[in-house]
């Protein structure tokens, strides 16, 4: 849906010089212009080729076939009867092929009840909407990360207005002045959340304003690394599902993409292509020993780079950024696939590592001590299957299994096709540990006893098998479903969704579950948690319409395997190891 701005709010640089607000018109006519040139969007037609290659979606048709470069049509989409233009011509709306169950009807009602409106238009959903909660803290706000499953549920149901409004409003908030203790962070930073407040004006007049939180009020003042990444991922999903690419082609939206990616691609002292972050910088936003180069950050970073490469308009001003994106994608994929991967074979190599190697040809490049291998892992790692470890730094490997990072590695093809299969094989083989009574563990195993005391600082919320420390989070269900559909393991997704469906409604949609198998509702879990509800609904819609999943995941980008950015071949010092890696990937 088109959005009408007040004069003077056309670009992020001037939109919010002062903390004001504007209203988004909810009734308009959409003009939809599809890409007509290879120069318009990087790797534009790559998706259509991958879509056809995907075996699962072999009988499906893309939502908007006019995207093919040969088409030079500009279509005017006339609004529907009430003028809202929520269903543009040519966009297929997902409708259930069967009667919805009572729990699905309840979930849709709860999701709609969680919608937040600003100047009369929907702009997001609150984090939790428990009528019995008298101290909601910030759970009554709209969180960028938490809204993603809600957005996908609405999009797959043919309701795009709320997602478009959300993307545009958070984009405008991106440019606000952000200060924490007299320090202003980078321009591209997105807010963690925002709240619609009513302020009094002169006389009896009032005005609605958006009040964002950039972390200055957050518990622990944690960094907001993943928020811009999620925004870019959702922006791509909006275009893919609705067929409305005019949003991502807007000048202000293109500027927002560049700000986020430039912030992530900024030069630093680090020697690795992975992002270096502080503790608590992702879904696990409390002290849990994930500082450094956590897998979740790298997987979302890789996904956002691939999104940016698809959506960026190629101009003289963006060519350097596109080149930097391609270089980082190539280096990052190699780094994660080569050094984060563990299976039985790799574990045995690490077990026999020599240390203190000073050489360009060192086998133990990060000087990992074999004594770091935890005892639980030696018995836990299966003969068939493997996973990407949680973190890698000099002399340190975090061998915990982090579910979100591994699932997004599968979804984005950060991991190889063989590794993708092995990750799902491991989840299936260790079902009782990773799924248990409620999908899915945020990480495995939990930190306990002295390890918990030292690493978490004796955090009473992150005790063993609770919250971020081995708790079970139903919101991870939609990402598991997406990964399973991509890899042709829809049986695993159906099994997990069925398990969740039998409990969530009766348990009043908790935020998370506790204990080793996820048997009890979390001791401090919020009830009627929106992303629990939305994650369940998104999973149900994807299982009902598995061909839609291909709009949300990426296949292997074989062009990346041809790129070598290390320039080692020019120095004559050694042969690039990417050649050897490519031979393994293409098997």
């Amino acid at each position: 849906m088109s959005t009408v701005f007040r004069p003077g709010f056309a670009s992020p640089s001037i939109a919010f010089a002062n903390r004001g607000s504007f209203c988004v018109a909810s009734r308009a006519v959409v003009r939809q212009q599809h890409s007509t040139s290879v120069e318009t969007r990087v790797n534009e037609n790559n998706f259509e080729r991958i879509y056809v290659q995907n075996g699962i979606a072999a009988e499906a048709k893309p939502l908007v076939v006019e995207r093919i470069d040969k088409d030079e049509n500009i279509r005017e989409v006339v609004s529907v009867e009430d003028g809202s233009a929520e269903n543009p011509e040519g966009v297929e709306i997902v409708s259930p092929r069967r009667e919805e169950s009572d729990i699905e009807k309840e979930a849709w009602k709860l999701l709609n009840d969680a919608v937040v409106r600003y100047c009369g238009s929907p702009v997001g959903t609150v984090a939790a909407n428990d009528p019995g909660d008298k101290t909601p803290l910030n759970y009554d706000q709209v969180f960028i990360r938490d809204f993603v499953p809600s957005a996908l549920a609405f999009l797959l149901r043919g309701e795009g207005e709320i997602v478009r409004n959300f993307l545009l409003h958070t984009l405008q908030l991106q440019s606000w002045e952000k200060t924490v203790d007299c320090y202003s962070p980078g321009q591209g930073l997105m807010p963690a959340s925002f709240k619609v407040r009513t302020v009094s004006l002169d006389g009896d007049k009032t005005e609605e304003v958006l009040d964002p939180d950039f972390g200055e009020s957050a518990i622990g003042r944690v960094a907001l690394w993943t928020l811009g990444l999620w925004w870019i991922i959702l922006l791509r999903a909006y275009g893919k599902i609705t067929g409305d690419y005019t949003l991502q082609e807007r000048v202000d939206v293109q500027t927002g993409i560049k700000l986020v990616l430039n912030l992530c691609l900024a030069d630093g002292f680090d020697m690795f292509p992975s992002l270096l972050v502080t503790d608590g910088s992702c879904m696990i936003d409390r002290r849990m020993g994930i500082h450094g180069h956590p897998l979740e950050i790298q997987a979302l970073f890789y996904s956002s780079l691939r999104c940016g490469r698809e959506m960026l308009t190629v101009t003289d001003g963006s060519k350097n950024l596109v080149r930097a994106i391609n270089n980082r994608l190539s280096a990052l994929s190699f780094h994660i696939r080569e050094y984060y991967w563990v299976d039985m074979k790799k574990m045995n190599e690490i077990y026999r590592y020599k240390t203190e190697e000073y050489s360009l040809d060192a086998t133990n490049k990060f000087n990992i001590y074999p004594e770091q291998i935890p005892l639980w892992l030696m018995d836990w790692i299966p003969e068939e299957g493997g996973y990407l470890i949680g973190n890698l730094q000099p002399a340190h490997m975090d061998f915990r299994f982090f579910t979100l990072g591994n699932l997004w590695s599968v979804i984005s093809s950060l991991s190889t096709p063989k590794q993708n299969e092995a990750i799902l094989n491991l989840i299936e083989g260790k079902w009782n540990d990773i799924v248990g009574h409620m999908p899915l563990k945020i990480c495995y195993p939990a930190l306990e006893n002295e390890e918990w005391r030292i690493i978490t600082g004796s955090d009473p919320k992150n005790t063993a098998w609770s919250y971020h420390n081995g708790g079970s989070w139903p919101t991870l269900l939609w990402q598991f479903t997406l990964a399973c559909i991509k890899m042709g393991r829809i049986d695993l997704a159906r099994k997990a969704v069925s398990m969740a469906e039998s409990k969530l409604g009766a348990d009043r949609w908790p935020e998370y579950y506790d204990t080793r198998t996820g048997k009890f509702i979390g001791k401090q879990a919020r009830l009627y948690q929106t992303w629990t509800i939305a994650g369940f609904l998104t999973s149900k819609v994807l299982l009902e319409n598995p061909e839609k999943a291909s709009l949300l995941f990426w296949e292997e980008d074989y062009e990346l395997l041809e790129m070598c950015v290390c320039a080692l071949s020019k120095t004559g010092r050694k042969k690039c190891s990417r050649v050897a890696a490519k031979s393994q990937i293409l098997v």
Side-chain angles (χ1 to χ4, degrees), residues 310-433:
E310 285 184 36
M311 296 187 294
L312 278 174
T313 301
V314 180
T315 64
D316 290 339
S318 65
K319 284 182 179 178
N320 287 338
L321 177 58
V322 172
R323 187 180 301 112
I325 289 173
N326 282 325
N327 289 346
R328 184 61 74 89
L329 281 170
S330 178
L332 182 60
S333 63
F334 174 76
H335 183 78
I336 299 298
R337 294 172 173 191
E338 185 76 3
Y339 303 124
Y340 277 62
W341 181 253
V342 292
D343 54 15
M344 182 64 77
K345 178 182 176 183
K346 185 67 176 181
M347 287 300 304
N348 205 53
E349 290 179 10
I350 298 172
Y351 184 73
R352 292 171 54 81
Y353 266 169
K354 295 179 180 179
T355 59
E356 315 303 329
E357 293 182 281
Y358 181 78
S359 168
L360 290 172
D361 299 315
T363 301
N364 186 3
K365 292 181 174 62
F366 297 91
N367 200 35
I368 303 299
Y369 306 120
E371 290 75 14
Q372 288 184 18
I373 300 176
L375 294 177
W376 66 264
L377 183 59
M378 293 184 176
D379 295 326
W380 192 76
I381 192 79
E383 293 286 345
E384 298 292 331
Y387 67 101
L388 296 167
I389 61 171
N391 211 327
L392 176 66
Q393 300 182 72
H396 173 67
M397 295 180 83
D398 186 343
F399 288 99
R400 285 176 290 176
F401 177 88
F402 288 87
T403 303
L404 181 56
N406 275 276
L407 291 180
W408 266 101
S409 297
V410 174
I411 293 166
S412 66
S413 287
L414 174 57
S415 43
T416 72
K418 289 179 64 177
Q419 290 171 348
N420 293 341
E421 292 179 9
I423 289 170
L424 292 186
N425 287 340
L426 179 133
I427 293 176
E428 182 182 28
K430 298 297 178 181
W431 190 265
N432 289 337
D433 293 330

Side-chain angles (χ1 to χ4, degrees), residues 471-482:
S472 299
W473 292 70
T475 187
L476 295 172
L477 193 61
W478 73 268
Q479 291 154 107
F480 179 62
T481 300
L482 188 56

Side-chain angles (χ1 to χ4, degrees), residues 119-131:
C119 297
S121 297
V123 293
T125 51
V126 293
N129 195 26
D130 182 1

Side-chain angles (χ1 to χ4, degrees), residues 97-333:
R97 299 170 184 168
R98 50 167 179 79
E99 179 69 22
E100 289 182 338
S101 64
D102 290 341
I103 189 174
E104 289 174 83
K105 292 176 182 177
E106 178 195 6
W108 281 115
K109 181 183 183 301
L110 291 170
L111 184 60
N112 286 319
D113 289 346
V115 169
V116 173
R117 292 185 174 271
Y118 171 57
C119 297
S121 297
V123 293
T125 51
V126 293
N129 195 26
D130 182 1
D133 189 356
K134 305 303 180 184
T135 55
L137 293 179
N138 57 352
Y139 281 78
D140 61 349
Q141 299 186 25
V142 179
F143 282 79
I144 285 188
R145 177 194 60 202
D146 294 28
F147 180 66
V148 171
S150 297
L152 294 178
F154 285 125
L155 287 172
L156 291 169
R157 201 172 173 86
E159 302 173 21
E161 179 192 4
I162 185 173
V163 183
R164 184 184 178 96
N165 292 344
F166 171 86
L167 289 167
L168 287 172
H169 280 300
T170 48
L171 172 67
Q172 298 298 325
L173 295 174
Q174 181 192 46
S175 64
W176 282 25
E177 182 178 348
K178 304 169 279 287
T179 304
V180 179
D181 294 338
C182 301
Y183 173 74
S184 296
Q187 268 190 307
L189 199 67
M190 288 284 186
S193 61
F194 64 85
K195 186 177 177 67
V196 177
R197 299 188 187 277
T198 301
V199 297
S200 299
L201 302 176
D202 295 336
D204 296 331
K205 296 181 179 179
T206 60
E207 181 183 26
E208 286 187 340
V209 299
L210 295 179
D211 184 13
D213 176 15
F214 285 94
E216 62 265 39
S217 301
I219 297 172
R221 304 299 188 265
V222 293
L224 311 174
W225 267 101
T226 62
L227 305 178
L229 308 181
W230 278 119
W231 184 86
I232 290 178
I233 291 168
L234 181 57
L235 176 64
R236 174 188 180 267
Y238 172 84
K240 292 291 185 185
I241 295 174
T242 66
D244 176 15
Y245 295 97
T246 58
L247 178 62
Q248 63 193 47
E249 291 168 354
R250 287 172 46 142
V251 174
D252 54 344
V253 175
Q254 288 282 312
T255 300
I257 296 171
K258 292 173 186 175
L259 286 174
V260 173
L261 295 182
N262 279 324
L263 189 63
C264 295
L265 292 167
D267 292 332
F269 288 98
D270 204 9
M271 292 294 293
F272 311 132
S274 47
L275 286 178
L276 177 64
V277 300
T278 60
D279 215 341
S281 296
C282 52
M283 181 178 175
I284 296 178
D285 56 9
R286 299 170 75 92
R287 179 176 163 189
M288 272 287 290
I290 61 170
H291 55 281
H293 307 83
L295 176 64
E296 179 182 328
I297 292 283
Q298 315 316 322
L300 293 173
F301 180 38
Y302 185 80
S303 300
S304 65
L305 289 176
R306 293 196 67 170
C307 291
R309 190 175 61 165
E310 285 184 36
M311 296 187 294
L312 278 174
T313 301
V314 180
T315 64
D316 290 339
S318 65
K319 284 182 179 178
N320 287 338
L321 177 58
V322 172
R323 187 180 301 112
I325 289 173
N326 282 325
N327 289 346
R328 184 61 74 89
L329 281 170
S330 178
L332 182 60
S333 63

Side-chain angles (χ1 to χ4, degrees), residues 32-37 41 44-45 48 61-77 88-92 239-240 242-245 249:
Q32 186 171 351
Q33 180 174 358
H34 299 294
S35 176
T36 60
S37 168
R41 199 179 290 112
E44 166 63 19
N45 56 9
E48 305 302 339
K61 296 178 181 179
L63 290 179
V64 185
V65 297
E66 292 88 343
R67 271 199 66 200
I68 300 171
D69 290 341
K70 293 178 182 179
D71 183 2
E72 297 181 349
N73 296 327
I74 297 176
R75 293 195 290 114
E76 182 169 312
V77 179
E89 178 187 342
V91 177
E92 179 185 348
K240 292 291 185 185
T242 66
D244 176 15
Y245 295 97
E249 291 168 354

